[in-house]
mmCIF file of all heavy atoms in Angstrom:
data_model
loop_
_atom_site.group_PDB
_atom_site.id
_atom_site.type_symbol
_atom_site.label_atom_id
_atom_site.label_comp_id
_atom_site.label_asym_id
_atom_site.label_seq_id
_atom_site.Cartn_x
_atom_site.Cartn_y
_atom_site.Cartn_z
ATOM 1 N N ASP A 1098 -30.817 -0.028 -27.840
ATOM 2 C CA ASP A 1098 -31.505 1.258 -27.899
ATOM 3 C C ASP A 1098 -31.037 2.239 -26.834
ATOM 4 O O ASP A 1098 -31.497 3.374 -26.794
ATOM 5 C CB ASP A 1098 -33.028 1.065 -27.825
ATOM 6 C CG ASP A 1098 -33.423 0.062 -26.769
ATOM 7 O OD1 ASP A 1098 -32.504 -0.343 -26.016
ATOM 8 O OD2 ASP A 1098 -34.592 -0.309 -26.692
ATOM 9 N N MET A 1099 -30.151 1.848 -25.967
ATOM 10 C CA MET A 1099 -29.524 2.724 -24.972
ATOM 11 C C MET A 1099 -30.544 3.509 -24.167
ATOM 12 O O MET A 1099 -30.434 4.704 -23.977
ATOM 13 C CB MET A 1099 -28.532 3.684 -25.655
ATOM 14 C CG MET A 1099 -27.353 2.994 -26.262
ATOM 15 S SD MET A 1099 -26.618 1.789 -25.175
ATOM 16 C CE MET A 1099 -25.811 2.851 -24.013
ATOM 17 N N ARG A 1118 -0.708 6.671 -12.710
ATOM 18 C CA ARG A 1118 -0.133 6.344 -14.012
ATOM 19 C C ARG A 1118 0.979 5.318 -13.899
ATOM 20 O O ARG A 1118 1.213 4.524 -14.811
ATOM 21 C CB ARG A 1118 0.408 7.613 -14.673
ATOM 22 C CG ARG A 1118 -0.690 8.464 -15.274
ATOM 23 C CD ARG A 1118 -0.159 9.814 -15.691
ATOM 24 N NE ARG A 1118 -1.249 10.764 -15.804
ATOM 25 C CZ ARG A 1118 -1.918 10.988 -16.946
ATOM 26 N NH1 ARG A 1118 -1.601 10.369 -18.026
ATOM 27 N NH2 ARG A 1118 -2.907 11.865 -16.959
ATOM 28 N N ASP A 1119 1.710 5.331 -12.777
ATOM 29 C CA ASP A 1119 2.824 4.407 -12.633
ATOM 30 C C ASP A 1119 2.334 2.961 -12.521
ATOM 31 O O ASP A 1119 2.921 2.054 -13.125
ATOM 32 C CB ASP A 1119 3.683 4.784 -11.428
ATOM 33 C CG ASP A 1119 2.875 4.922 -10.160
ATOM 34 O OD1 ASP A 1119 1.704 5.309 -10.271
ATOM 35 O OD2 ASP A 1119 3.406 4.656 -9.075
ATOM 36 N N HIS A 1122 1.120 1.878 -15.865
ATOM 37 C CA HIS A 1122 2.277 1.631 -16.720
ATOM 38 C C HIS A 1122 2.844 0.249 -16.432
ATOM 39 O O HIS A 1122 3.113 -0.540 -17.340
ATOM 40 C CB HIS A 1122 3.329 2.711 -16.468
ATOM 41 C CG HIS A 1122 4.591 2.508 -17.237
ATOM 42 N ND1 HIS A 1122 5.701 1.910 -16.682
ATOM 43 C CD2 HIS A 1122 4.913 2.792 -18.514
ATOM 44 C CE1 HIS A 1122 6.659 1.855 -17.592
ATOM 45 N NE2 HIS A 1122 6.207 2.389 -18.711
ATOM 46 N N TYR A 1205 -10.677 5.333 -14.022
ATOM 47 C CA TYR A 1205 -10.313 6.414 -14.958
ATOM 48 C C TYR A 1205 -11.379 6.562 -16.031
ATOM 49 O O TYR A 1205 -11.836 7.664 -16.344
ATOM 50 C CB TYR A 1205 -8.948 6.084 -15.562
ATOM 51 C CG TYR A 1205 -8.562 6.912 -16.753
ATOM 52 C CD1 TYR A 1205 -8.116 8.217 -16.593
ATOM 53 C CD2 TYR A 1205 -8.641 6.376 -18.041
ATOM 54 C CE1 TYR A 1205 -7.754 8.969 -17.687
ATOM 55 C CE2 TYR A 1205 -8.281 7.125 -19.135
ATOM 56 C CZ TYR A 1205 -7.842 8.427 -18.959
ATOM 57 O OH TYR A 1205 -7.491 9.170 -20.040
ATOM 58 N N GLU A 1222 -28.775 -11.081 -35.532
ATOM 59 C CA GLU A 1222 -29.400 -12.082 -36.391
ATOM 60 C C GLU A 1222 -28.507 -12.436 -37.556
ATOM 61 O O GLU A 1222 -28.425 -13.582 -37.973
ATOM 62 C CB GLU A 1222 -30.720 -11.518 -36.922
ATOM 63 C CG GLU A 1222 -31.920 -12.216 -36.369
ATOM 64 C CD GLU A 1222 -33.174 -11.664 -36.989
ATOM 65 O OE1 GLU A 1222 -33.076 -10.853 -37.930
ATOM 66 O OE2 GLU A 1222 -34.255 -12.050 -36.527
ATOM 67 N N TRP A 1227 -23.422 -3.983 -41.180
ATOM 68 C CA TRP A 1227 -24.147 -2.732 -41.441
ATOM 69 C C TRP A 1227 -24.912 -2.265 -40.201
ATOM 70 O O TRP A 1227 -24.874 -1.115 -39.811
ATOM 71 C CB TRP A 1227 -25.109 -2.980 -42.615
ATOM 72 C CG TRP A 1227 -25.962 -1.804 -42.949
ATOM 73 C CD1 TRP A 1227 -25.601 -0.725 -43.690
ATOM 74 C CD2 TRP A 1227 -27.328 -1.600 -42.557
ATOM 75 N NE1 TRP A 1227 -26.638 0.143 -43.791
ATOM 76 C CE2 TRP A 1227 -27.711 -0.362 -43.111
ATOM 77 C CE3 TRP A 1227 -28.239 -2.343 -41.821
ATOM 78 C CZ2 TRP A 1227 -28.993 0.138 -42.926
ATOM 79 C CZ3 TRP A 1227 -29.500 -1.837 -41.631
ATOM 80 C CH2 TRP A 1227 -29.871 -0.597 -42.186
ATOM 81 N N TRP A 1228 -25.577 -3.211 -39.591
ATOM 82 C CA TRP A 1228 -26.446 -2.890 -38.462
ATOM 83 C C TRP A 1228 -25.630 -2.351 -37.282
ATOM 84 O O TRP A 1228 -25.909 -1.288 -36.747
ATOM 85 C CB TRP A 1228 -27.190 -4.170 -38.052
ATOM 86 C CG TRP A 1228 -28.348 -3.936 -37.142
ATOM 87 C CD1 TRP A 1228 -29.590 -3.553 -37.498
ATOM 88 C CD2 TRP A 1228 -28.347 -4.082 -35.732
ATOM 89 N NE1 TRP A 1228 -30.388 -3.444 -36.406
ATOM 90 C CE2 TRP A 1228 -29.659 -3.761 -35.294
ATOM 91 C CE3 TRP A 1228 -27.401 -4.445 -34.791
ATOM 92 C CZ2 TRP A 1228 -30.036 -3.806 -33.963
ATOM 93 C CZ3 TRP A 1228 -27.770 -4.494 -33.468
ATOM 94 C CH2 TRP A 1228 -29.072 -4.177 -33.058
ATOM 95 N N HIS A 1235 -24.559 5.982 -34.453
ATOM 96 C CA HIS A 1235 -25.670 6.708 -33.866
ATOM 97 C C HIS A 1235 -25.396 7.085 -32.415
ATOM 98 O O HIS A 1235 -25.761 8.165 -31.953
ATOM 99 C CB HIS A 1235 -26.943 5.859 -33.942
ATOM 100 C CG HIS A 1235 -28.145 6.558 -33.380
ATOM 101 N ND1 HIS A 1235 -28.767 7.583 -34.036
ATOM 102 C CD2 HIS A 1235 -28.789 6.408 -32.202
ATOM 103 C CE1 HIS A 1235 -29.760 8.024 -33.296
ATOM 104 N NE2 HIS A 1235 -29.794 7.324 -32.166
ATOM 105 N N HIS A 1237 -22.522 7.688 -31.201
ATOM 106 C CA HIS A 1237 -21.240 8.392 -31.159
ATOM 107 C C HIS A 1237 -20.157 7.553 -30.481
ATOM 108 O O HIS A 1237 -19.457 7.985 -29.583
ATOM 109 C CB HIS A 1237 -21.382 9.752 -30.458
ATOM 110 C CG HIS A 1237 -22.268 10.684 -31.217
ATOM 111 N ND1 HIS A 1237 -21.783 11.582 -32.148
ATOM 112 C CD2 HIS A 1237 -23.606 10.823 -31.213
ATOM 113 C CE1 HIS A 1237 -22.789 12.235 -32.674
ATOM 114 N NE2 HIS A 1237 -23.908 11.793 -32.119
ATOM 115 N N GLY A 1243 -13.436 8.200 -31.604
ATOM 116 C CA GLY A 1243 -12.367 7.493 -30.901
ATOM 117 C C GLY A 1243 -12.558 5.996 -30.752
ATOM 118 O O GLY A 1243 -11.848 5.379 -29.980
ATOM 119 N N LEU A 1288 -7.715 0.680 -21.631
ATOM 120 C CA LEU A 1288 -7.222 2.047 -21.779
ATOM 121 C C LEU A 1288 -7.078 2.475 -23.234
ATOM 122 O O LEU A 1288 -6.829 3.635 -23.513
ATOM 123 C CB LEU A 1288 -5.843 2.165 -21.105
ATOM 124 C CG LEU A 1288 -5.804 1.875 -19.612
ATOM 125 C CD1 LEU A 1288 -4.386 1.860 -19.133
ATOM 126 C CD2 LEU A 1288 -6.603 2.912 -18.854
ATOM 127 N N VAL A 1315 -9.919 -10.518 8.544
ATOM 128 C CA VAL A 1315 -8.709 -10.726 9.322
ATOM 129 C C VAL A 1315 -8.515 -12.232 9.439
ATOM 130 O O VAL A 1315 -9.465 -12.942 9.749
ATOM 131 C CB VAL A 1315 -8.870 -10.102 10.717
ATOM 132 C CG1 VAL A 1315 -7.652 -10.357 11.553
ATOM 133 C CG2 VAL A 1315 -9.131 -8.631 10.598
ATOM 134 N N PRO A 1316 -7.304 -12.749 9.159
ATOM 135 C CA PRO A 1316 -7.116 -14.183 9.293
ATOM 136 C C PRO A 1316 -7.396 -14.632 10.714
ATOM 137 O O PRO A 1316 -6.918 -14.027 11.667
ATOM 138 C CB PRO A 1316 -5.650 -14.400 8.932
ATOM 139 C CG PRO A 1316 -5.153 -13.143 8.422
ATOM 140 C CD PRO A 1316 -6.114 -12.065 8.692
ATOM 141 N N ALA A 1318 -8.600 -18.180 13.353
ATOM 142 C CA ALA A 1318 -8.814 -19.620 13.492
ATOM 143 C C ALA A 1318 -10.195 -19.906 14.058
ATOM 144 O O ALA A 1318 -10.500 -21.025 14.390
ATOM 145 C CB ALA A 1318 -7.744 -20.219 14.386
ATOM 146 N N VAL A 1319 -11.007 -18.866 14.192
ATOM 147 C CA VAL A 1319 -12.356 -19.046 14.721
ATOM 148 C C VAL A 1319 -13.319 -19.066 13.547
ATOM 149 O O VAL A 1319 -13.398 -18.109 12.782
ATOM 150 C CB VAL A 1319 -12.715 -17.905 15.687
ATOM 151 C CG1 VAL A 1319 -14.092 -18.116 16.260
ATOM 152 C CG2 VAL A 1319 -11.698 -17.836 16.802
ATOM 153 N N TYR A 1320 -14.021 -20.160 13.387
ATOM 154 C CA TYR A 1320 -14.928 -20.266 12.251
ATOM 155 C C TYR A 1320 -16.359 -20.303 12.752
ATOM 156 O O TYR A 1320 -16.700 -21.053 13.638
ATOM 157 C CB TYR A 1320 -14.610 -21.518 11.439
ATOM 158 C CG TYR A 1320 -13.178 -21.560 11.038
ATOM 159 C CD1 TYR A 1320 -12.300 -22.452 11.622
ATOM 160 C CD2 TYR A 1320 -12.674 -20.636 10.125
ATOM 161 C CE1 TYR A 1320 -10.970 -22.455 11.277
ATOM 162 C CE2 TYR A 1320 -11.349 -20.629 9.776
ATOM 163 C CZ TYR A 1320 -10.503 -21.547 10.355
ATOM 164 O OH TYR A 1320 -9.187 -21.537 10.016
ATOM 165 N N MET B 568 -35.509 -12.046 -31.003
ATOM 166 C CA MET B 568 -35.142 -11.269 -32.214
ATOM 167 C C MET B 568 -34.710 -9.864 -31.804
ATOM 168 O O MET B 568 -35.405 -9.213 -31.038
ATOM 169 C CB MET B 568 -36.353 -11.207 -33.140
ATOM 170 C CG MET B 568 -36.038 -10.620 -34.488
ATOM 171 S SD MET B 568 -37.501 -10.410 -35.499
ATOM 172 C CE MET B 568 -38.056 -8.821 -35.013
ATOM 173 N N ARG B 571 -35.691 -4.045 -34.746
ATOM 174 C CA ARG B 571 -35.379 -3.546 -36.094
ATOM 175 C C ARG B 571 -34.733 -2.172 -35.995
ATOM 176 O O ARG B 571 -34.994 -1.408 -35.068
ATOM 177 C CB ARG B 571 -36.660 -3.435 -36.927
ATOM 178 C CG ARG B 571 -37.495 -4.688 -37.027
ATOM 179 C CD ARG B 571 -36.967 -5.645 -38.078
ATOM 180 N NE ARG B 571 -35.875 -6.448 -37.566
ATOM 181 C CZ ARG B 571 -35.077 -7.184 -38.309
ATOM 182 N NH1 ARG B 571 -35.221 -7.202 -39.616
ATOM 183 N NH2 ARG B 571 -34.128 -7.903 -37.778
ATOM 184 N N LEU B 572 -33.906 -1.867 -36.947
ATOM 185 C CA LEU B 572 -33.134 -0.626 -36.862
ATOM 186 C C LEU B 572 -34.008 0.615 -37.014
ATOM 187 O O LEU B 572 -33.805 1.618 -36.339
ATOM 188 C CB LEU B 572 -32.047 -0.636 -37.925
ATOM 189 C CG LEU B 572 -31.021 0.466 -37.782
ATOM 190 C CD1 LEU B 572 -30.255 0.299 -36.489
ATOM 191 C CD2 LEU B 572 -30.089 0.484 -38.954
ATOM 192 N N LEU B 575 -35.674 1.377 -33.940
ATOM 193 C CA LEU B 575 -34.636 1.677 -32.954
ATOM 194 C C LEU B 575 -34.166 3.112 -33.053
ATOM 195 O O LEU B 575 -34.112 3.850 -32.072
ATOM 196 C CB LEU B 575 -33.444 0.763 -33.224
ATOM 197 C CG LEU B 575 -33.121 -0.240 -32.138
ATOM 198 C CD1 LEU B 575 -31.998 -1.107 -32.604
ATOM 199 C CD2 LEU B 575 -32.809 0.456 -30.856
ATOM 200 N N SER B 579 -34.502 5.499 -29.969
ATOM 201 C CA SER B 579 -33.342 5.384 -29.080
ATOM 202 C C SER B 579 -32.805 6.758 -28.721
ATOM 203 O O SER B 579 -33.017 7.736 -29.406
ATOM 204 C CB SER B 579 -32.263 4.554 -29.743
ATOM 205 O OG SER B 579 -31.809 5.237 -30.866
ATOM 206 N N HIS B 580 -32.112 6.784 -27.596
ATOM 207 C CA HIS B 580 -31.524 8.027 -27.105
ATOM 208 C C HIS B 580 -30.016 7.864 -27.198
ATOM 209 O O HIS B 580 -29.481 6.892 -26.706
ATOM 210 C CB HIS B 580 -31.894 8.252 -25.640
ATOM 211 C CG HIS B 580 -33.349 8.063 -25.362
ATOM 212 N ND1 HIS B 580 -34.197 9.124 -25.149
ATOM 213 C CD2 HIS B 580 -34.108 6.944 -25.282
ATOM 214 C CE1 HIS B 580 -35.423 8.645 -24.924
ATOM 215 N NE2 HIS B 580 -35.386 7.336 -25.006
ATOM 216 N N ILE B 582 -26.373 8.838 -25.936
ATOM 217 C CA ILE B 582 -25.874 9.379 -24.671
ATOM 218 C C ILE B 582 -25.218 10.729 -24.898
ATOM 219 O O ILE B 582 -25.470 11.699 -24.209
ATOM 220 C CB ILE B 582 -24.873 8.399 -24.044
ATOM 221 C CG1 ILE B 582 -25.613 7.136 -23.662
ATOM 222 C CG2 ILE B 582 -24.228 9.002 -22.817
ATOM 223 C CD1 ILE B 582 -24.727 6.071 -23.154
ATOM 224 N N VAL B 583 -24.360 10.784 -25.894
ATOM 225 C CA VAL B 583 -23.721 12.055 -26.225
ATOM 226 C C VAL B 583 -24.566 12.722 -27.308
ATOM 227 O O VAL B 583 -24.758 12.164 -28.382
ATOM 228 C CB VAL B 583 -22.290 11.813 -26.748
ATOM 229 C CG1 VAL B 583 -21.571 13.133 -26.922
ATOM 230 C CG2 VAL B 583 -21.531 10.912 -25.794
ATOM 231 N N SER B 604 -9.571 11.246 -29.610
ATOM 232 C CA SER B 604 -9.380 10.733 -28.256
ATOM 233 C C SER B 604 -7.936 10.310 -28.117
ATOM 234 O O SER B 604 -7.489 9.357 -28.716
ATOM 235 C CB SER B 604 -10.300 9.549 -28.019
ATOM 236 O OG SER B 604 -9.873 8.451 -28.760
ATOM 237 N N SER B 606 -5.272 8.570 -26.341
ATOM 238 C CA SER B 606 -5.258 7.487 -25.358
ATOM 239 C C SER B 606 -4.297 7.806 -24.230
ATOM 240 O O SER B 606 -3.259 8.446 -24.429
ATOM 241 C CB SER B 606 -4.852 6.191 -26.045
ATOM 242 O OG SER B 606 -4.614 5.213 -25.081
ATOM 243 N N ILE B 607 -4.655 7.356 -23.069
ATOM 244 C CA ILE B 607 -3.800 7.583 -21.898
ATOM 245 C C ILE B 607 -2.533 6.736 -21.979
ATOM 246 O O ILE B 607 -1.540 7.002 -21.311
ATOM 247 C CB ILE B 607 -4.595 7.259 -20.607
ATOM 248 C CG1 ILE B 607 -3.857 7.761 -19.373
ATOM 249 C CG2 ILE B 607 -4.901 5.794 -20.501
ATOM 250 C CD1 ILE B 607 -4.517 7.465 -18.075
ATOM 251 N N SER B 610 0.822 8.377 -22.182
ATOM 252 C CA SER B 610 1.334 9.198 -21.084
ATOM 253 C C SER B 610 1.555 8.409 -19.801
ATOM 254 O O SER B 610 1.676 8.983 -18.730
ATOM 255 C CB SER B 610 0.365 10.356 -20.818
ATOM 256 O OG SER B 610 -0.885 9.831 -20.457
ATOM 257 N N SER B 612 3.815 6.342 -17.337
ATOM 258 C CA SER B 612 5.253 6.214 -17.082
ATOM 259 C C SER B 612 5.473 5.875 -15.626
ATOM 260 O O SER B 612 4.576 6.016 -14.801
ATOM 261 C CB SER B 612 5.978 7.511 -17.415
ATOM 262 O OG SER B 612 5.564 8.507 -16.512
ATOM 263 N N ASN B 614 7.068 6.533 -11.914
ATOM 264 C CA ASN B 614 7.325 7.751 -11.158
ATOM 265 C C ASN B 614 8.792 8.132 -11.314
ATOM 266 O O ASN B 614 9.652 7.249 -11.305
ATOM 267 C CB ASN B 614 6.993 7.538 -9.681
ATOM 268 C CG ASN B 614 5.501 7.513 -9.460
ATOM 269 O OD1 ASN B 614 4.745 8.058 -10.250
ATOM 270 N ND2 ASN B 614 5.083 6.874 -8.403
ATOM 271 N N GLY B 694 -10.313 -12.058 19.166
ATOM 272 C CA GLY B 694 -11.239 -13.063 18.660
ATOM 273 C C GLY B 694 -10.698 -13.867 17.510
ATOM 274 O O GLY B 694 -11.462 -14.475 16.769
ATOM 275 N N ARG B 695 -9.384 -13.873 17.387
ATOM 276 C CA ARG B 695 -8.795 -14.623 16.264
ATOM 277 C C ARG B 695 -8.373 -16.022 16.673
ATOM 278 O O ARG B 695 -8.059 -16.845 15.828
ATOM 279 C CB ARG B 695 -7.610 -13.846 15.693
ATOM 280 C CG ARG B 695 -8.044 -12.525 15.090
ATOM 281 C CD ARG B 695 -6.881 -11.650 14.748
ATOM 282 N NE ARG B 695 -6.176 -12.143 13.593
ATOM 283 C CZ ARG B 695 -5.190 -11.493 13.007
ATOM 284 N NH1 ARG B 695 -4.806 -10.328 13.456
ATOM 285 N NH2 ARG B 695 -4.579 -11.989 11.967
ATOM 286 N N GLU B 709 -3.115 -20.465 10.903
ATOM 287 C CA GLU B 709 -4.298 -19.988 10.189
ATOM 288 C C GLU B 709 -4.660 -18.563 10.585
ATOM 289 O O GLU B 709 -5.126 -17.783 9.763
ATOM 290 C CB GLU B 709 -5.484 -20.900 10.489
ATOM 291 C CG GLU B 709 -5.557 -22.072 9.552
ATOM 292 C CD GLU B 709 -6.591 -23.070 9.978
ATOM 293 O OE1 GLU B 709 -7.244 -22.859 11.006
ATOM 294 O OE2 GLU B 709 -6.736 -24.076 9.260
ATOM 295 N N SER B 710 -4.456 -18.252 11.861
ATOM 296 C CA SER B 710 -4.803 -16.900 12.304
ATOM 297 C C SER B 710 -3.630 -15.950 12.142
ATOM 298 O O SER B 710 -3.698 -14.805 12.574
ATOM 299 C CB SER B 710 -5.243 -16.934 13.757
ATOM 300 O OG SER B 710 -4.175 -17.401 14.551
ATOM 301 N N ARG B 711 -2.543 -16.419 11.515
ATOM 302 C CA ARG B 711 -1.330 -15.619 11.294
ATOM 303 C C ARG B 711 -0.726 -15.114 12.609
ATOM 304 O O ARG B 711 -0.160 -14.038 12.654
ATOM 305 C CB ARG B 711 -1.590 -14.412 10.386
ATOM 306 C CG ARG B 711 -2.171 -14.744 9.052
ATOM 307 C CD ARG B 711 -1.152 -15.344 8.104
ATOM 308 N NE ARG B 711 -1.680 -15.387 6.764
ATOM 309 C CZ ARG B 711 -2.527 -16.314 6.342
ATOM 310 N NH1 ARG B 711 -2.917 -17.260 7.162
ATOM 311 N NH2 ARG B 711 -2.972 -16.284 5.113
#
Side-chain angles (χ1 to χ4, degrees):
Chain A
D1098 44 8
M1099 294 314 286
R1118 282 170 200 269
D1119 53 329
H1122 177 263
Y1205 167 77
E1222 248 183 7
W1227 177 81
W1228 194 82
H1235 181 73
H1237 295 268
L1288 299 173
V1315 178
V1319 182
Y1320 306 108
Chain B
M568 189 186 87
R571 306 279 82 193
L572 191 64
L575 245 176
S579 65
H580 312 255
I582 294 175
V583 187
S604 71
S606 170
I607 192 182
S610 61
S612 67
N614 286 336
R695 296 170 73 173
E709 273 171 359
S710 61
R711 304 285 192 281

